[in-house]
Amino acid sequence: KQEVTQIPAALSVPEGENLVLNCSFTDSAIYNLQWFRQDPGKGLTSLLLIQSSQREQTSGRLNASLDKSSGRSTLYIAASQPGDSATYLCAVRGEETSGSRLTFGEGTQLTVNP
Amino acid sequence: DAGVTQSPTHLIKTRGQQVTLRCSPKSGHDTVSWYQQALGQGPQFIFQYYEEEERQRGNFPDRFSGHQFPNYSSELNVNALLLGDSALYLCASSFRPGSYEQYFGPGTRLTVT
């Protein structure tokens, strides 16, 4: 059974700081890994998706890396801003022949202080 | 282009009652997945519908059931509500079950008292 763990559970940083969020998964047989952002009481916004054959993806100030063999991914946020405050969720999709079921971690709650 | 929409936004029910939640997928999408997110937890997969049939199911009891209509919209039904069913219910849509990316709706907040 796939299990996804995110560390830390919560993080508070001053504005402008660079930061790293960590995600680990127990079964390396994944199809892809996705990072989401969730604002309080809201749905999920996809930030980055990394296919299992890729090592990293970048979008603006965000960079996600994937080490499939070791079961780890990191989300790097450069020059953090108060608007980045949210919960960040990591999710993996297994190597199934059909379906797109995602297994999520519990998230990292990020607060960026002005 | 409308994204994934869900209704209602909030719902309060009493233990033992039944509830129906609704989801309309993003335009062009034909597959709908449902997730339950308890407070402070990550979303948990409930089931996925494609071609009006349940294709995959997570570890949820039979009290949770669903339906998909010919226009690809979907309903999630929960019978005999328990206090522990209180959660944010998220709907996600994609084009085909094997699509690599899903789009999530804003969710329905269900409170069971």
Side-chain angles (χ1 to χ4, degrees):
Chain A
K1 176 189 173 185
Q2 178 73 271
E3 293 184 0
V4 180
T5 303
Q6 292 187 245
I7 295 173
L11 183 63
S12 181
V13 300
E15 181 177 3
E17 192 161 297
N18 302 324
L19 57 99
V20 175
L21 308 181
N22 297 290
C23 172
S24 61
F25 45 96
T26 55
D27 185 351
S28 62
I30 65 168
Y31 185 72
N32 59 37
L33 182 145
Q34 202 165 357
W35 283 92
F36 291 90
R37 169 188 172 135
Q38 185 174 34
D39 292 290
K42 304 295 185 181
L44 307 182
T45 300
S46 179
L47 298 173
L48 290 164
L49 183 149
I50 310 177
Q51 298 287 59
S52 61
S53 58
Q54 297 176 315
R55 296 285 293 184
E56 66 179 85
Q57 280 285 341
T58 298
S59 176
R61 295 182 294 109
L62 305 180
N63 177 276
S65 68
L66 173 64
D67 185 340
K68 181 180 171 182
S69 60
S70 68
R72 295 183 181 183
S73 176
T74 62
L75 178 66
Y76 175 83
I77 303 177
S80 58
Q81 303 171 357
D84 294 332
S85 298
T87 296
Y88 290 79
L89 292 158
C90 166
V92 299
R93 178 183 160 191
E95 285 182 346
E96 300 142 9
T97 56
S98 64
S100 49
R101 170 182 185 165
L102 294 174
T103 301
F104 284 84
E106 295 192 346
T108 293
Q109 186 173 358
L110 173 65
T111 302
V112 181
N113 301 299
Chain B
D1 176 24
V4 181
T5 59
Q6 293 186 243
S7 63
T9 304
H10 296 89
L11 202 54
I12 300 175
K13 289 287 189 177
T14 302
R15 191 172 44 186
Q17 287 187 317
Q18 179 265 343
V19 68
T20 297
L21 311 181
R22 295 175 177 82
C23 171
S24 291
K26 179 179 170 65
S27 178
H29 286 183
D30 57 10
T31 304
V32 173
S33 300
W34 287 92
Y35 292 81
Q36 179 197 65
Q37 186 178 25
L39 196 62
Q41 304 293 315
Q44 298 288 320
F45 177 79
I46 303 175
F47 43 53
Q48 181 181 75
Y49 276 83
Y50 171 65
E51 292 185 330
E52 302 180 45
E53 292 186 1
E54 183 183 291
R55 298 290 177 158
Q56 281 191 313
R57 189 179 181 91
N59 188 27
F60 279 81
D62 292 343
R63 297 187 298 109
F64 289 77
S65 64
H67 188 78
Q68 185 178 35
F69 299 93
N71 67 353
Y72 309 123
S73 66
S74 177
E75 290 182 346
L76 164 65
N77 301 293
V78 187
N79 294 322
L81 284 167
L82 304 174
L83 296 179
D85 295 331
S86 295
L88 180 68
Y89 288 84
L90 296 165
C91 169
S93 75
S94 62
F95 176 67
R96 296 289 190 267
S99 174
Y100 69 88
E101 192 164 16
Q102 300 179 65
Y103 293 80
F104 281 80
T108 293
R109 172 70 64 188
L110 172 65
T111 302
V112 182
T113 63

